[in-house]
Every structure is written in C-alpha cells, then in structure tokens.
C-alpha cells in the first residue's frame, strides 16, 4: 500500500528552528508538496519538490531525497503565527496525490 | 485573480437528513475540481473529482454524490446522512490534472451529523 509518515505533533519555541520530517512509500514518485493548515481553515501551499536538494523560500525551506523516500520542512525564526498543521503530500506514478495525516506544530513563547 | 468559495462553513444535521455543499471558482475557466474529506488524524481523502461539466469521478463508494452543473460550480450532496459522514469537507481546484501544479482550497465546511 501507499504510506506517508509524519510525526503527529511537535513543539518548538518562538524564535527557534524546527524540522518536520516526512517519509513516504508510494508506487512511484512525481513530486512532493508541503501545505500549511491553520486550525479550522483550508490548507495553503508552501513548497513543491521534484528534484533532490533544498528549496529555500524565506523562513521556510524544503528538502527532498528521492532515494531515501524522505523530505523535511525547515522553519526558521519561528513566530507564533507558525502554529499550524503541516501536511506532506506525494504525487505517485499514476499522478494521484497521496496525503499524510499532518504534523501539528505548537509554538511556545 | 482566482478565488474559490464554498458554503456553508458550518452545519449540524440529523442522521437521515439531506446534504448540499456548494463550491464556486472565479477567475479561471475549465478548472479541475475536487471534493476532499478531512478526518482527525488522517490524511485528506479524495471523494470526487471533475475535469469538466457533467464529468464526475468517484474515488470512494459511499452515500455521497457530486455534480457539476456549470463550469465553475461543484456540488456535494447526500440524500441521507450517516454519523460517519461527519468531518471537514474541502473543495479544491487546479489546472493540472497530474497535480504538478498547486491545489487551491476553499474555506472548508465543518459537518456534524447527530
């Protein structure tokens, strides 16, 4: 079967750095997304990786290793507004989008 | 610019009652449209998608149905709700059916079936 694993919950301190990991076992790979979802709201796009390496976008960076079936989202200079769930999603060989259950990030002052 | 809206935002319905959730997209034509359900502790589950007017594909057999009467309108319905239908429903659109482009989500509809 197809599986995407993320930690259920993480806690970090305001101003710090946090890394949210995502590992996947899917039938093929055609790209990986990270979305941010605040409680009770719709997910919003953060990043898309299709090649190995690090993609940086402001305070957020996303890394992909296709050989390891692994990605992480790195959040720097954490702010209280970063408290949200972070969803990892993979496009499989049939171009279906497979979603992880999400990681709830709690930021403490 | 493109926008997507869905309503109602919240509803509480008794078991056995009907359901209608509506979603509209503005600022684009011929979008791919999707209905997802999000349950606590689980990934987004694709319920239906549509690549054009009157074209509906169902991903999960259940008592829900979807319709696309107009290019930018997508409706999720049920004739008789079950307790298990409770959840957070999200409408979404994109231009790339292979998902290589960003998905844009509506605000979500929280359904509680009692």
């Amino acid at each position: 079967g197809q599986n995407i694993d993320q930690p259920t919950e993480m806690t970090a301190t305001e101003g710090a750095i946090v890394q949210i990991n995502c590992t996947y076992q899917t039938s093929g790979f055609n790209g990986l997304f990270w979305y941010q979802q605040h409680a009770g709201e719709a997910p919003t796009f953060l990043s898309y990786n299709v090649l190995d390496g690090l993609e940086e976008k402001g305070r957020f960076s996303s890394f992909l290793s296709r050989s390891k079936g692994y990605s992480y989202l790195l959040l720097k200079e954490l702010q209280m507004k970063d408290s949200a769930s972070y969803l990892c999603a993979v496009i499989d060989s049939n171009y279906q989008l497979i979603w992880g259950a999400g990681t709830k990030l709690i930021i403490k002052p | 610019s493109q926008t997507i809206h869905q309503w109602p935002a919240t509803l509480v319905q008794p078991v056995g009652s009907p359901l209608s959730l509506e979603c509209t997209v503005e600022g684009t034509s011929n979008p791919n449209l999707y209905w997802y359900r999000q349950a606590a502790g689980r990934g987004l589950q694709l319920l239906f998608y549509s690549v054009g007017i009157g074209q509906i594909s169902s991903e999960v057999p259940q008592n829900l149905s979807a319709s696309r009467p107009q290019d930018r309108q997508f409706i999720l319905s049920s004739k008789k709700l079950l307790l298990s239908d409770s959840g957070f429903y999200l409408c979404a659109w994109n231009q790339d059916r292979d998902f290589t482009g960003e998905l844009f989500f509506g605000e979500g509809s929280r359904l509680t079936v009692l």
Side-chain angles (χ1 to χ4, degrees):
Chain A
Q2 313 221 73
N3 196 47
I4 296 181
D5 290 314
Q6 309 178 232
T8 303
E9 187 175 297
M10 298 181 70
T11 302
T13 304
E14 189 176 16
I17 299 173
V18 70
Q19 177 175 311
I20 302 174
N21 296 324
C22 171
T23 57
Y24 60 89
Q25 301 87 37
T26 57
S27 57
F29 176 87
N30 281 297
L32 184 145
F33 288 96
W34 283 97
Y35 280 78
Q36 180 190 60
Q37 185 179 25
H38 286 98
E41 298 182 8
T44 55
F45 171 82
L46 287 178
S47 66
Y48 173 63
N49 294 70
V50 65
L51 300 176
D52 290 349
L54 187 69
E55 297 275 348
E56 297 185 75
K57 190 184 296 184
R59 294 189 298 115
F60 293 8
S61 302
S62 57
F63 172 83
L64 174 67
S65 169
R66 288 172 296 172
S67 63
K68 296 182 179 179
Y70 167 70
S71 172
Y72 67 74
L73 181 69
L74 191 70
L75 293 73
K76 302 177 183 177
E77 301 170 15
L78 286 169
Q79 302 175 10
M80 297 303 293
K81 67 178 182 179
D82 298 328
S83 292
S85 289
Y86 292 85
L87 313 181
C88 175
V90 170
I91 308 171
D92 70 8
S93 58
N94 294 318
Y95 291 95
Q96 302 300 308
L97 192 57
I98 313 300
W99 293 86
T103 298
K104 182 179 181 181
L105 178 63
I106 299 169
I107 309 296
K108 295 186 175 180
Chain B
S1 63
Q2 302 92 351
T3 58
I4 177 170
H5 296 291
Q6 63 177 103
W7 67 94
T10 307
L11 62 166
V12 180
Q13 297 283 104
V15 169
S17 65
L19 171 73
S20 180
L21 300 179
E22 293 196 33
C23 172
T24 60
V25 180
E26 299 293 333
T28 187
S29 58
N30 198 30
N32 299 305
L33 295 171
Y34 307 87
W35 278 111
Y36 282 94
R37 179 167 57 203
Q38 187 174 34
R42 301 184 64 182
L44 290 175
Q45 180 187 35
L46 180 62
L47 301 176
F48 301 94
Y49 69 89
S50 171
V51 299
I53 296 174
Q55 301 179 60
I56 308 295
S57 296
S58 173
E59 293 293 308
V60 182
Q62 57 205 325
N63 68 319
L64 299 173
S65 62
S67 62
R68 185 170 178 173
Q70 301 180 45
D71 181 47
R72 289 170 291 181
Q73 184 184 24
F74 205 24
I75 298 171
L76 182 69
S77 303
S78 174
K79 292 182 179 178
K80 289 186 177 182
L81 284 168
L82 306 173
L83 286 174
S84 58
D85 292 324
S86 294
F88 191 54
Y89 289 82
L90 289 159
C91 180
W93 77 272
N94 67 5
Q95 287 289 359
D96 304 299
R97 183 64 191 96
D98 62 3
F99 286 109
T100 52
E102 178 181 349
L103 256 182
F104 299 92
F105 288 89
E107 303 95 333
S109 299
R110 173 75 60 190
L111 171 65
T112 302
V113 182
L114 300 175

